[in-house]
Amino acid sequence: MSAKYGLLGEHLSHSYSKEIHEALTDYTYELIPLTREELTKFMTAKEFAAVNVTIPYKREVIPYLDAMDERAKSIGAVNTIVNRGGSLTGYNTDYDGFLYTLKKNKIEVTGKKVLVIGNGGAAQAVLAVLRGLSAKEIIIVDITQGDGICTHEEARRLHTDAALLVNTSPVGMYPAIDAAPLDLTPFTSLTAVVDIIYNPNVTKLLAQAKSRGLTAVNGLEMLVAQAFFAAQHFLDKQLDEAKIDEVTKQIRETLK
């Protein structure tokens, strides 16, 4: 399948990317679900102008690229590819999207202790932003043990003084909305919680954060903002950043 602009991924039936891109700009944007075998054919054929990339291909596409910007290299994942005369360049606008979310919601990171739940592809851009903003300490909490990975039990025992919590795991995502990745009760120093899930609009984790009067932000702004910054790469021009807020409100209405 060839498309001028679109999204590569494995399971895309719940994606809002088409609606978001077409609301942000005036091009047609296609959802392009691909198996791993189909991904190879698609990337080598290069019959596209620019595409976004989502789970599980943000790392898998890298061998097909001719260049990556420094940010994508440091994160080790690509979510935006632009085809310039057959030369493919990779970018990571998840970084821009998460940074936009923090700034828009006035969430302070510098000098703060941050808990990040999950250590998959979605976490890498988040971690890069937190490091770039000089977080005092970043604790990665995951069910998979590894170097520098903290268990949920250790988080509850040792890190209740965290000021910010970011969930990058899929726990609590539609349709399993009764689940939460962590009980916030022992974390008495929290001032803000960001859950990069955007469906449902208020996850169980965010509902608990709201009940305590904390700043509670879901992933919709990040989703729209990363699409906005990707579109700038696609078109090689500056767009009006006010569109992010406009489209976020538009999509949020459909999630209520």
Side-chain angles (χ1 to χ4, degrees):
M1 175 185 180
S2 64
K4 193 172 182 187
Y5 301 108
L7 175 68
L8 308 185
E10 196 168 39
H11 305 295
L12 303 177
S13 58
H14 294 107
S15 174
Y16 282 85
S17 290
K18 180 175 174 67
E19 290 88 339
I20 290 168
H21 274 265
E22 292 181 356
L24 287 169
T25 63
D26 58 0
Y27 52 65
T28 300
Y29 187 93
E30 303 296 339
L31 300 182
I32 310 167
L34 299 172
T35 63
R36 277 181 164 75
E37 294 73 24
E38 290 168 337
L39 178 72
T40 299
K41 291 177 188 171
F42 184 91
M43 292 302 299
T44 52
K46 301 182 181 182
E47 293 174 353
F48 60 88
V51 289
N52 289 123
V53 186
T54 190
I55 297 168
Y57 300 136
K58 290 184 182 185
R59 290 189 176 105
E60 278 83 344
V61 295
I62 291 173
Y64 302 101
L65 304 179
D66 300 288
M68 290 167 68
D69 77 343
E70 290 307 312
R71 186 174 291 156
K73 278 183 192 171
S74 67
I75 293 169
V78 162
N79 80 319
T80 301
I81 301 171
V82 179
N83 182 356
R84 297 185 180 93
S87 179
L88 303 183
T89 303
Y91 304 91
N92 191 307
T93 66
D94 288 331
Y95 182 103
D96 305 283
F98 186 63
L99 181 61
Y100 175 89
T101 296
L102 294 178
K103 289 184 174 178
K104 182 77 169 50
N105 293 281
K106 299 180 173 58
I107 295 172
E108 190 59 49
V109 170
T110 306
K112 306 291 185 184
K113 183 173 187 174
V114 186
L115 287 181
V116 176
I117 303 175
N119 193 34
Q124 304 316 308
V126 166
L127 292 167
V129 170
L130 296 172
R131 291 179 189 121
L133 292 175
S134 302
K136 179 183 176 183
E137 190 178 0
I138 302 169
I139 308 297
I140 300 170
V141 184
D142 201 17
I143 53 173
T144 307
Q145 292 285 87
D147 270 357
I149 306 297
C150 170
T151 66
H152 287 67
E153 191 277 326
E154 285 169 336
R156 286 188 292 270
R157 188 161 45 86
L158 303 172
H159 302 296
T160 55
D161 58 338
L164 170 63
L165 183 144
V166 184
N167 177 43
T168 72
S169 82
V171 179
M173 185 187 293
Y174 179 86
I177 61 172
D178 289 330
L182 204 66
D183 175 15
L184 300 180
T185 304
F187 299 90
T188 53
S189 297
L190 286 174
T191 58
V193 175
V194 180
D195 192 336
I196 70 166
I197 292 169
Y198 57 87
N199 190 7
N201 200 22
V202 180
T203 60
K204 189 174 181 182
L205 180 73
L206 290 182
Q208 189 181 12
K210 280 173 179 277
S211 74
R212 282 181 37 186
L214 307 179
T215 298
V217 180
N218 78 359
L220 188 59
E221 275 174 341
M222 179 178 173
L223 181 72
V224 176
Q226 65 80 24
F228 172 87
F229 292 110
Q232 291 194 145
H233 286 302
F234 284 14
L235 301 172
D236 195 24
K237 71 176 184 182
Q238 294 293 308
L239 302 173
D240 181 3
E241 210 165 282
K243 290 287 286 184
I244 300 174
D245 202 32
E246 182 187 315
V247 175
T248 299
K249 286 176 181 168
Q250 186 181 317
I251 300 294
R252 201 181 299 282
E253 284 302 313
T254 71
L255 293 171
K256 285 182 178 176

